[in-house]
Amino acid sequence: MTSRITCVVPAPVEVHPSTDSFRITEATRVRITDDTATVGHYLAETLGLTTGSTGEITLSRQSTAPADGYQLTVTNTAITLRANTETGLFMAVQTLRQLVSDEGIVDGGEILDYPRFAHRGAMLDVSRHFFTVDEVKRFIDQIVQYKINVLHLHLTDDQGWRLEITNWPKLTTIGGATQVGGGPGGFYTQQEFRELVAYATSRHITLIPEIDIPGHVNAALVAYPELTCDGVAPPLFTTTGTATGFSSLCTDKEITYQFIDDVLREVAALTPGPYLHIGTDEAHATPEEGYAKFIRRALDMVQRYGKQAIGWHEILRADPPTGTIPQFWSKADDDPRVAEAAARGHKILLSPANKVYLDMKYTPDSPIGYKWAGYLDVRDVYDWDPGTYLQGVPEEAVIGIEAPLWAEHLKHRGHIDFMAFPRLPAVAELGWSPRETHDWQDFRRRLATHGPRWTAQGIEFYPSTQIPWA
Ligand code: TNX
């Protein structure tokens, strides 16, 4: 059997296997020092070990790896994790977890590793179908194993508003009452949301909350009809419909701006991370001048509340300042504004639908999913290069990549598992690993060995025929 140290996903920058191996037993201890305690305890908990002031597994905050990178050394007698940052140590733990066999054998060798892109994200839509705090925590624990460091939560859409806003309580009591299919829906109280943020932070995940405005707001309009232009409440929307972008806040009413100011202020206060995502996609029901005016005012508020704005790339229609990050979600080169924005100095977040939309079917036989962006089997997701994908958007302009998991078709957490695995690890490798390690044949060989781990973790993954599962 090949050494697990040659099966790490995402592929490390450098791997040097040796013939050593370390055996983890009940007596194995994790050595804890002041500056490594948090990650040390997490490591011990994850591997079921105890901690102490001495131990065979040591963590150190001295490393030659770049920030957020790490070095990992496994010999017959010791395991050493080294990094300059706590995040780097956390990443080292994720690699170490992949090296441990069921019998506690850790294959020997040395690894030097660090990320290619700063932003390696997954997006979960909790609006179309609601997922509980525990379900989101479970997703976080799944994705950190692949060094994903951003979780973007799509908190509001036509079908449901999922975050309590103190000044506008009906958003959740009315706007959060249902979901696609007409089921009971749900929402996070601010306290629950804080708990989620804290959990993400403890896993070195930056949580990005998205409030999708000025379109995709039917749930808010049901709750507060004064936000529509005619003042009439629309009915709750519990299907996926055929027309997207049918709802809009009224951009001519001042109350609209009081509303978004309250929302953005409260969401900013709940969020320690640097970003607020303001949606801005498919605002087909918003008049063009109204759209630009609205976006500029919303961007001023985001800035006033100390955050950097992200928006789906349509936001470029409003000529936002260069600090705004457009999230590209279409197909290659179908919007010249993205390359123009990169030339002006915007950082670009890449989520091309025909590559990384995890709500697409794998094949025509997939039981759930859309196909509007094509069928996406593992190889389709893996075989592209974020550094050269869009003409005029060089690697330096790319902040990273993100895989959206829209939830029109996700009825329960098993559906999250099925759509995210094994595709999300492919996205993670594109975001983390250097281009030089990119190799489909090698990736499928390594990925195959992860299936039994997912099974052990209860992840109901899709056993793609492209992967020679172990
Ligand atoms: C497009 S991508 C949308 C979402 C849908 C998704 C379904 C984007 C910014 N908008 O509202 O859920 O397609 O694939």
Short mmCIF file of all heavy atoms in Angstrom, two decimals, residues 123 125 128 154 157-159 210 212 216 244-245 277 279-282 311-314 327-330 351 353 357-360 369-373 404-409, ligand 1:
data_model
loop_
_atom_site.label_atom_id
_atom_site.label_comp_id
_atom_site.label_asym_id
_atom_site.label_seq_id
_atom_site.Cartn_x
_atom_site.Cartn_y
_atom_site.Cartn_z
N MET A 123 -19.37 28.37 -0.29
CA MET A 123 -20.58 29.12 0.05
C MET A 123 -21.72 28.16 0.29
O MET A 123 -21.90 27.21 -0.47
CB MET A 123 -20.97 30.08 -1.08
CG MET A 123 -22.10 31.03 -0.68
SD MET A 123 -23.16 31.51 -2.07
CE MET A 123 -24.26 30.09 -2.16
N ASP A 125 -25.85 28.13 0.84
CA ASP A 125 -27.12 28.86 0.76
C ASP A 125 -28.03 28.30 1.85
O ASP A 125 -28.45 27.14 1.77
CB ASP A 125 -27.67 28.65 -0.66
CG ASP A 125 -29.11 29.10 -0.86
OD1 ASP A 125 -29.67 29.76 0.03
OD2 ASP A 125 -29.65 28.79 -1.94
N ARG A 128 -32.68 29.06 0.63
CA ARG A 128 -33.62 28.24 -0.15
C ARG A 128 -34.08 27.04 0.66
O ARG A 128 -35.24 26.65 0.65
CB ARG A 128 -32.98 27.81 -1.46
CG ARG A 128 -33.13 28.81 -2.60
CD ARG A 128 -32.58 30.20 -2.30
NE ARG A 128 -32.67 31.08 -3.44
CZ ARG A 128 -31.72 31.19 -4.38
NH1 ARG A 128 -30.57 30.53 -4.27
NH2 ARG A 128 -31.89 32.00 -5.41
N HIS A 154 -24.96 32.47 2.48
CA HIS A 154 -25.98 33.20 1.73
C HIS A 154 -27.23 33.22 2.60
O HIS A 154 -28.01 32.27 2.61
CB HIS A 154 -26.20 32.49 0.39
CG HIS A 154 -27.14 33.18 -0.53
ND1 HIS A 154 -26.78 34.30 -1.26
CD2 HIS A 154 -28.42 32.91 -0.87
CE1 HIS A 154 -27.81 34.68 -2.01
NE2 HIS A 154 -28.81 33.86 -1.79
N ASP A 157 -32.66 35.47 0.74
CA ASP A 157 -33.04 35.37 -0.67
C ASP A 157 -34.57 35.42 -0.74
O ASP A 157 -35.23 35.64 0.28
CB ASP A 157 -32.47 34.08 -1.31
CG ASP A 157 -32.16 34.28 -2.79
OD1 ASP A 157 -33.10 34.60 -3.55
OD2 ASP A 157 -30.99 34.14 -3.18
N ASP A 158 -35.10 35.22 -1.93
CA ASP A 158 -36.56 35.30 -2.09
C ASP A 158 -37.29 34.36 -1.15
O ASP A 158 -38.36 34.69 -0.63
CB ASP A 158 -36.93 34.96 -3.55
CG ASP A 158 -36.49 36.06 -4.50
OD1 ASP A 158 -36.65 37.26 -4.15
OD2 ASP A 158 -35.96 35.74 -5.58
N GLN A 159 -36.74 33.19 -0.92
CA GLN A 159 -37.47 32.15 -0.18
C GLN A 159 -37.31 32.24 1.33
O GLN A 159 -38.04 31.55 2.05
CB GLN A 159 -37.02 30.76 -0.66
CG GLN A 159 -37.41 30.47 -2.11
CD GLN A 159 -36.33 30.87 -3.11
OE1 GLN A 159 -35.47 31.71 -2.81
NE2 GLN A 159 -36.37 30.28 -4.29
N GLU A 210 -23.69 37.07 3.72
CA GLU A 210 -24.24 37.76 2.55
C GLU A 210 -25.69 38.15 2.80
O GLU A 210 -26.53 37.32 3.15
CB GLU A 210 -24.19 36.87 1.29
CG GLU A 210 -24.83 37.58 0.08
CD GLU A 210 -24.91 36.73 -1.19
OE1 GLU A 210 -24.34 35.62 -1.21
OE2 GLU A 210 -25.58 37.18 -2.14
N ASP A 212 -28.37 39.62 0.42
CA ASP A 212 -28.50 39.82 -1.03
C ASP A 212 -29.50 40.94 -1.31
O ASP A 212 -30.70 40.79 -1.09
CB ASP A 212 -28.94 38.50 -1.68
CG ASP A 212 -28.67 38.48 -3.18
OD1 ASP A 212 -28.31 39.53 -3.75
OD2 ASP A 212 -28.83 37.40 -3.79
N HIS A 216 -33.54 39.61 -5.14
CA HIS A 216 -33.57 38.40 -4.31
C HIS A 216 -34.06 38.70 -2.90
O HIS A 216 -33.52 38.19 -1.91
CB HIS A 216 -32.17 37.76 -4.24
CG HIS A 216 -31.75 37.10 -5.53
ND1 HIS A 216 -31.95 35.77 -5.79
CD2 HIS A 216 -31.15 37.62 -6.63
CE1 HIS A 216 -31.48 35.48 -6.99
NE2 HIS A 216 -30.99 36.58 -7.54
N THR A 244 -35.71 34.12 -12.23
CA THR A 244 -34.94 34.62 -11.08
C THR A 244 -34.89 36.14 -11.19
O THR A 244 -35.02 36.70 -12.27
CB THR A 244 -33.51 34.07 -11.06
OG1 THR A 244 -32.99 34.19 -12.38
CG2 THR A 244 -33.46 32.64 -10.60
N GLY A 245 -34.65 36.79 -10.08
CA GLY A 245 -34.51 38.24 -10.11
C GLY A 245 -35.82 38.96 -10.31
O GLY A 245 -35.88 40.00 -10.94
N HIS A 277 -20.81 40.74 2.33
CA HIS A 277 -21.22 40.45 0.95
C HIS A 277 -22.62 41.02 0.77
O HIS A 277 -23.52 40.74 1.57
CB HIS A 277 -21.22 38.93 0.75
CG HIS A 277 -21.18 38.50 -0.69
ND1 HIS A 277 -22.11 38.90 -1.62
CD2 HIS A 277 -20.33 37.68 -1.36
CE1 HIS A 277 -21.83 38.34 -2.80
NE2 HIS A 277 -20.74 37.60 -2.67
N GLY A 279 -24.51 40.77 -2.12
CA GLY A 279 -25.28 40.15 -3.21
C GLY A 279 -25.12 40.92 -4.51
O GLY A 279 -24.08 40.86 -5.13
N THR A 280 -26.17 41.66 -4.88
CA THR A 280 -26.22 42.52 -6.07
C THR A 280 -26.46 41.77 -7.37
O THR A 280 -26.46 42.37 -8.44
CB THR A 280 -24.95 43.42 -6.26
OG1 THR A 280 -23.83 42.61 -6.71
CG2 THR A 280 -24.56 44.15 -4.98
N ASP A 281 -26.69 40.46 -7.30
CA ASP A 281 -26.87 39.68 -8.53
C ASP A 281 -28.30 39.74 -9.04
O ASP A 281 -29.24 39.96 -8.27
CB ASP A 281 -26.50 38.21 -8.28
CG ASP A 281 -27.32 37.59 -7.16
OD1 ASP A 281 -27.45 38.23 -6.10
OD2 ASP A 281 -27.84 36.48 -7.35
N GLU A 282 -28.43 39.52 -10.31
CA GLU A 282 -29.72 39.29 -10.97
C GLU A 282 -30.81 40.25 -10.49
O GLU A 282 -31.94 39.83 -10.25
CB GLU A 282 -30.20 37.84 -10.72
CG GLU A 282 -29.23 36.82 -11.25
CD GLU A 282 -29.68 35.39 -10.97
OE1 GLU A 282 -30.17 35.10 -9.85
OE2 GLU A 282 -29.54 34.57 -11.87
N GLY A 311 -19.38 41.62 -3.82
CA GLY A 311 -20.68 41.49 -4.49
C GLY A 311 -20.51 40.57 -5.68
O GLY A 311 -19.40 40.45 -6.22
N TRP A 312 -21.58 39.90 -6.08
CA TRP A 312 -21.52 39.14 -7.34
C TRP A 312 -21.13 40.12 -8.44
O TRP A 312 -21.38 41.33 -8.32
CB TRP A 312 -22.86 38.46 -7.61
CG TRP A 312 -23.23 37.50 -6.50
CD1 TRP A 312 -24.15 37.71 -5.52
CD2 TRP A 312 -22.65 36.21 -6.24
NE1 TRP A 312 -24.18 36.62 -4.67
CE2 TRP A 312 -23.27 35.69 -5.08
CE3 TRP A 312 -21.66 35.44 -6.87
CZ2 TRP A 312 -22.95 34.44 -4.54
CZ3 TRP A 312 -21.34 34.20 -6.33
CH2 TRP A 312 -21.98 33.71 -5.18
N HIS A 313 -20.50 39.64 -9.51
CA HIS A 313 -19.77 40.58 -10.38
C HIS A 313 -20.65 41.60 -11.09
O HIS A 313 -20.15 42.61 -11.58
CB HIS A 313 -18.90 39.83 -11.39
CG HIS A 313 -19.66 39.13 -12.47
ND1 HIS A 313 -20.12 37.85 -12.34
CD2 HIS A 313 -20.05 39.55 -13.70
CE1 HIS A 313 -20.76 37.49 -13.45
NE2 HIS A 313 -20.74 38.51 -14.28
N GLU A 314 -21.98 41.41 -11.09
CA GLU A 314 -22.86 42.46 -11.63
C GLU A 314 -22.64 43.79 -10.92
O GLU A 314 -22.99 44.85 -11.45
CB GLU A 314 -24.33 42.10 -11.47
CG GLU A 314 -24.81 41.01 -12.38
CD GLU A 314 -24.88 39.68 -11.67
OE1 GLU A 314 -23.93 39.33 -10.93
OE2 GLU A 314 -25.89 38.98 -11.84
N GLN A 327 -17.29 39.06 -7.26
CA GLN A 327 -17.22 37.60 -7.27
C GLN A 327 -17.78 37.13 -8.61
O GLN A 327 -18.99 37.19 -8.85
CB GLN A 327 -18.03 37.03 -6.10
CG GLN A 327 -17.97 35.51 -6.04
CD GLN A 327 -18.53 34.94 -4.74
OE1 GLN A 327 -19.08 35.67 -3.90
NE2 GLN A 327 -18.38 33.64 -4.56
N PHE A 328 -16.88 36.67 -9.46
CA PHE A 328 -17.25 36.28 -10.81
C PHE A 328 -17.95 34.93 -10.79
O PHE A 328 -17.40 33.94 -10.31
CB PHE A 328 -15.99 36.19 -11.69
CG PHE A 328 -16.28 35.71 -13.07
CD1 PHE A 328 -16.78 36.58 -14.03
CD2 PHE A 328 -16.09 34.39 -13.42
CE1 PHE A 328 -17.08 36.13 -15.30
CE2 PHE A 328 -16.39 33.93 -14.69
CZ PHE A 328 -16.88 34.81 -15.63
N TRP A 329 -19.18 34.87 -11.33
CA TRP A 329 -19.94 33.62 -11.23
C TRP A 329 -20.43 33.09 -12.56
O TRP A 329 -21.14 32.10 -12.62
CB TRP A 329 -21.11 33.77 -10.26
CG TRP A 329 -22.19 34.73 -10.67
CD1 TRP A 329 -22.21 36.07 -10.46
CD2 TRP A 329 -23.41 34.41 -11.35
NE1 TRP A 329 -23.36 36.61 -10.94
CE2 TRP A 329 -24.12 35.62 -11.50
CE3 TRP A 329 -23.98 33.24 -11.83
CZ2 TRP A 329 -25.37 35.69 -12.13
CZ3 TRP A 329 -25.22 33.30 -12.45
CH2 TRP A 329 -25.91 34.53 -12.60
N SER A 330 -20.01 33.74 -13.64
CA SER A 330 -20.52 33.34 -14.94
C SER A 330 -19.55 32.39 -15.63
O SER A 330 -18.77 31.70 -14.97
CB SER A 330 -20.78 34.60 -15.76
OG SER A 330 -21.59 34.30 -16.84
N SER A 351 -15.63 32.30 -9.06
CA SER A 351 -16.60 31.22 -8.84
C SER A 351 -17.28 30.88 -10.16
O SER A 351 -18.52 30.92 -10.24
CB SER A 351 -17.66 31.65 -7.82
OG SER A 351 -17.10 31.96 -6.58
N ALA A 353 -19.43 29.41 -12.79
CA ALA A 353 -20.50 28.44 -12.58
C ALA A 353 -20.22 27.12 -13.28
O ALA A 353 -20.53 26.05 -12.76
CB ALA A 353 -21.83 29.03 -13.06
N TYR A 357 -19.74 25.41 -9.51
CA TYR A 357 -21.07 25.46 -8.90
C TYR A 357 -21.45 24.07 -8.40
O TYR A 357 -21.79 23.18 -9.16
CB TYR A 357 -22.10 26.01 -9.90
CG TYR A 357 -22.37 27.48 -9.68
CD1 TYR A 357 -21.32 28.32 -9.30
CD2 TYR A 357 -23.63 28.04 -9.85
CE1 TYR A 357 -21.54 29.67 -9.07
CE2 TYR A 357 -23.85 29.39 -9.63
CZ TYR A 357 -22.82 30.20 -9.24
OH TYR A 357 -23.03 31.53 -9.02
N LEU A 358 -21.39 23.90 -7.10
CA LEU A 358 -21.61 22.58 -6.52
C LEU A 358 -23.07 22.17 -6.53
O LEU A 358 -23.41 21.06 -6.11
CB LEU A 358 -21.05 22.54 -5.09
CG LEU A 358 -19.56 22.83 -4.94
CD1 LEU A 358 -19.14 22.76 -3.48
CD2 LEU A 358 -18.72 21.88 -5.78
N ASP A 359 -23.96 23.06 -7.00
CA ASP A 359 -25.37 22.65 -7.12
C ASP A 359 -25.67 22.08 -8.50
O ASP A 359 -26.82 21.71 -8.76
CB ASP A 359 -26.32 23.82 -6.80
CG ASP A 359 -26.17 24.99 -7.76
OD1 ASP A 359 -25.03 25.28 -8.20
OD2 ASP A 359 -27.20 25.62 -8.09
N MET A 360 -24.65 22.00 -9.37
CA MET A 360 -24.86 21.36 -10.67
C MET A 360 -24.82 19.84 -10.51
O MET A 360 -24.09 19.31 -9.66
CB MET A 360 -23.77 21.78 -11.67
CG MET A 360 -23.83 23.25 -12.05
SD MET A 360 -25.41 23.73 -12.80
CE MET A 360 -25.79 25.18 -11.82
N GLY A 369 -30.01 18.46 -8.42
CA GLY A 369 -29.13 19.47 -8.97
C GLY A 369 -29.67 20.12 -10.22
O GLY A 369 -30.60 19.63 -10.84
N TYR A 370 -29.06 21.27 -10.52
CA TYR A 370 -29.35 21.97 -11.77
C TYR A 370 -28.38 21.48 -12.83
O TYR A 370 -27.38 20.81 -12.54
CB TYR A 370 -29.11 23.47 -11.58
CG TYR A 370 -30.24 24.23 -10.94
CD1 TYR A 370 -30.04 24.92 -9.74
CD2 TYR A 370 -31.49 24.33 -11.55
CE1 TYR A 370 -31.06 25.67 -9.15
CE2 TYR A 370 -32.51 25.09 -10.97
CZ TYR A 370 -32.28 25.75 -9.77
OH TYR A 370 -33.28 26.48 -9.20
N LYS A 371 -28.64 21.91 -14.09
CA LYS A 371 -27.68 21.63 -15.15
C LYS A 371 -27.46 22.85 -16.04
O LYS A 371 -26.85 22.74 -17.10
CB LYS A 371 -28.15 20.43 -15.98
CG LYS A 371 -29.50 20.62 -16.61
CD LYS A 371 -29.86 19.48 -17.53
CE LYS A 371 -31.17 19.81 -18.25
NZ LYS A 371 -31.68 18.66 -19.01
N TRP A 372 -27.96 24.02 -15.59
CA TRP A 372 -27.87 25.19 -16.48
C TRP A 372 -26.42 25.58 -16.79
O TRP A 372 -26.16 26.15 -17.84
CB TRP A 372 -28.68 26.38 -15.95
CG TRP A 372 -28.20 27.00 -14.66
CD1 TRP A 372 -28.70 26.77 -13.43
CD2 TRP A 372 -27.14 27.97 -14.50
NE1 TRP A 372 -28.02 27.50 -12.48
CE2 TRP A 372 -27.07 28.26 -13.12
CE3 TRP A 372 -26.25 28.61 -15.37
CZ2 TRP A 372 -26.14 29.15 -12.58
CZ3 TRP A 372 -25.33 29.51 -14.84
CH2 TRP A 372 -25.28 29.77 -13.46
N ALA A 373 -25.49 25.27 -15.90
CA ALA A 373 -24.08 25.59 -16.18
C ALA A 373 -23.33 24.35 -16.67
O ALA A 373 -22.11 24.39 -16.83
CB ALA A 373 -23.41 26.16 -14.94
N PRO A 404 -19.75 27.83 -4.68
CA PRO A 404 -21.07 28.04 -4.11
C PRO A 404 -21.91 26.76 -4.12
O PRO A 404 -21.93 26.01 -5.09
CB PRO A 404 -21.72 29.09 -5.04
CG PRO A 404 -20.58 29.70 -5.80
CD PRO A 404 -19.59 28.58 -5.96
N LEU A 405 -22.60 26.55 -3.01
CA LEU A 405 -23.55 25.44 -2.92
C LEU A 405 -24.93 26.05 -2.70
O LEU A 405 -25.34 26.34 -1.57
CB LEU A 405 -23.15 24.50 -1.77
CG LEU A 405 -23.92 23.19 -1.62
CD1 LEU A 405 -24.19 22.51 -2.96
CD2 LEU A 405 -23.16 22.24 -0.71
N TRP A 406 -25.60 26.31 -3.83
CA TRP A 406 -26.97 26.85 -3.78
C TRP A 406 -27.90 25.73 -3.34
O TRP A 406 -27.67 24.55 -3.65
CB TRP A 406 -27.36 27.40 -5.15
CG TRP A 406 -26.47 28.51 -5.60
CD1 TRP A 406 -25.44 28.43 -6.51
CD2 TRP A 406 -26.49 29.87 -5.15
NE1 TRP A 406 -24.84 29.66 -6.63
CE2 TRP A 406 -25.46 30.56 -5.82
CE3 TRP A 406 -27.29 30.58 -4.23
CZ2 TRP A 406 -25.19 31.91 -5.62
CZ3 TRP A 406 -27.03 31.92 -4.03
CH2 TRP A 406 -25.99 32.58 -4.72
N ALA A 407 -28.98 26.09 -2.64
CA ALA A 407 -29.71 25.05 -1.91
C ALA A 407 -31.15 24.82 -2.38
O ALA A 407 -31.94 24.23 -1.66
CB ALA A 407 -29.72 25.39 -0.42
N GLU A 408 -31.46 25.25 -3.61
CA GLU A 408 -32.82 24.98 -4.10
C GLU A 408 -33.17 23.49 -3.98
O GLU A 408 -34.31 23.13 -3.70
CB GLU A 408 -32.96 25.40 -5.56
CG GLU A 408 -33.07 26.91 -5.78
CD GLU A 408 -31.74 27.55 -6.09
OE1 GLU A 408 -30.69 27.03 -5.62
OE2 GLU A 408 -31.72 28.58 -6.80
N HIS A 409 -32.17 22.64 -4.20
CA HIS A 409 -32.44 21.19 -4.25
C HIS A 409 -31.92 20.42 -3.03
O HIS A 409 -31.96 19.20 -3.00
CB HIS A 409 -31.80 20.59 -5.51
CG HIS A 409 -32.27 21.25 -6.76
ND1 HIS A 409 -33.50 21.03 -7.30
CD2 HIS A 409 -31.67 22.18 -7.55
CE1 HIS A 409 -33.65 21.78 -8.38
NE2 HIS A 409 -32.57 22.48 -8.55
C1 TNX B 1 -27.78 31.72 -9.89
S1 TNX B 1 -25.17 32.73 -8.98
C2 TNX B 1 -27.93 32.46 -8.73
C3 TNX B 1 -28.59 31.84 -7.56
C4 TNX B 1 -29.15 30.49 -7.86
C5 TNX B 1 -28.17 29.71 -8.71
C6 TNX B 1 -28.61 28.31 -9.01
C7 TNX B 1 -26.01 33.85 -8.51
C8 TNX B 1 -25.27 35.01 -8.12
N1 TNX B 1 -27.36 33.71 -8.52
O1 TNX B 1 -29.60 32.70 -7.07
O2 TNX B 1 -29.40 29.83 -6.67
O3 TNX B 1 -27.95 30.39 -9.93
O4 TNX B 1 -27.61 27.59 -9.67
#
